[in-house]
Amino acid sequence: MFVTTVLVAQMESDHLLVGESAPLIVANDQNGKMINSNEILKERQILLIFYRGSWCPHCKKHLSSLQDHLQEFQEKGVFVMVVTPEKLEKTKEAGEAYSNEFSIIHDVNNKIMTDYKVAYEVNKETVPNYYEKLNVILDEYNETNNNVLPVPATYLIDTSSKVSYVQYDPDYKNRSDFNEILALLN
């Protein structure tokens, strides 16, 4: 019960803020490429997006918008990665849907989501209206017994490993505006 209480409270208020140090990310993306945020940050900023899953229509719309803006981010020297609790095979499917042009990371054991303070447990308190339906979806898309989702947050991390932009909203319908982020990079 302690973990649930912490995660519910976390969903409401606690998250990384601008100026805070970004936790290290070491993981493989959907193509098996090793991602190490410290290595990337030696030369490029990172745009880090947490998404709930390819089953989520709001997530699909947001990732489609990301794909539309991807070249602009790349031209500005930004490495783009998205993190999800979905199974590896689901990240591969999502990667194919977006032409594998940005890294999609299966968050093993929810470590990245927890480190970035976006993880929350799906239960009757956190998702009262859709709990039963969402559990069926998570059983199919996430690893066995993993009923954790991220608040769909976005972080821009500068080359000094500091968070320079945050979009964090527990309302899963509210997402970052890529034009706003691109304007910050000018």
Side-chain angles (χ1 to χ4, degrees):
M1 188 59 160
F2 172 73
V3 171
T4 300
T5 304
V6 170
L7 290 174
V8 171
Q10 182 174 342
M11 184 176 166
E12 295 299 323
S13 64
D14 189 26
H15 59 87
L16 292 181
L17 302 173
V18 170
E20 290 191 77
S21 293
L24 173 67
I25 297 172
V26 177
N28 289 319
D29 72 6
Q30 78 277 17
N31 299 314
K33 178 181 175 185
M34 175 56 75
I35 303 296
N36 180 317
S37 60
N38 283 351
E39 292 300 314
I40 295 166
L41 291 169
K42 288 179 181 176
E43 298 178 6
R44 299 160 61 181
Q45 295 184 71
I46 293 175
L47 181 64
L48 174 62
I49 300 160
F50 291 92
Y51 80 106
R52 299 170 350 133
S54 55
W55 52 266
C56 168
H58 298 282
C59 296
K60 291 194 302 193
K61 182 178 177 184
H62 196 226
L63 291 186
S64 179
S65 178
L66 173 62
Q67 183 63 41
D68 292 344
H69 290 88
L70 185 62
Q71 184 174 348
E72 293 170 89
F73 282 113
Q74 291 172 336
E75 288 171 358
K76 292 183 181 290
V78 176
F79 183 87
V80 177
M81 72 174 88
V82 296
V83 174
T84 181
E86 286 189 312
K87 297 174 187 176
L88 182 58
E89 58 266 21
K90 296 295 183 184
T91 66
K92 289 179 181 181
E93 290 172 15
E96 290 169 8
Y98 299 101
S99 303
N100 289 318
E101 292 190 37
F102 50 82
S103 289
I104 303 174
I105 297 171
H106 160 66
D107 191 1
V108 178
N109 299 320
N110 309 314
K111 180 181 179 351
I112 301 167
M113 293 184 304
T114 301
D115 287 351
Y116 277 81
K117 302 180 182 182
V118 299
Y120 70 94
E121 182 180 350
V122 173
N123 57 43
K124 288 182 181 180
E125 291 175 347
T126 59
V127 189
N129 297 329
Y130 304 105
Y131 173 70
E132 298 299 329
K133 183 177 179 180
L134 199 49
N135 264 345
V136 171
I137 291 169
L138 295 183
D139 283 345
E140 178 182 349
Y141 282 80
N142 288 10
E143 295 295 339
T144 304
N145 298 318
N146 182 4
N147 64 337
V148 173
L149 289 176
V151 169
T154 301
Y155 293 96
L156 183 62
I157 305 163
D158 67 25
T159 55
S160 65
S161 295
K162 300 289 184 192
V163 175
S164 61
Y165 169 90
V166 175
Q167 188 283 329
Y168 179 98
D169 189 332
D171 183 344
Y172 64 90
K173 294 176 253 168
N174 296 329
R175 305 298 173 103
S176 57
D177 179 335
F178 296 122
N179 289 316
E180 177 184 324
I181 299 168
L182 285 164
L184 293 173
L185 296 169
N186 288 331

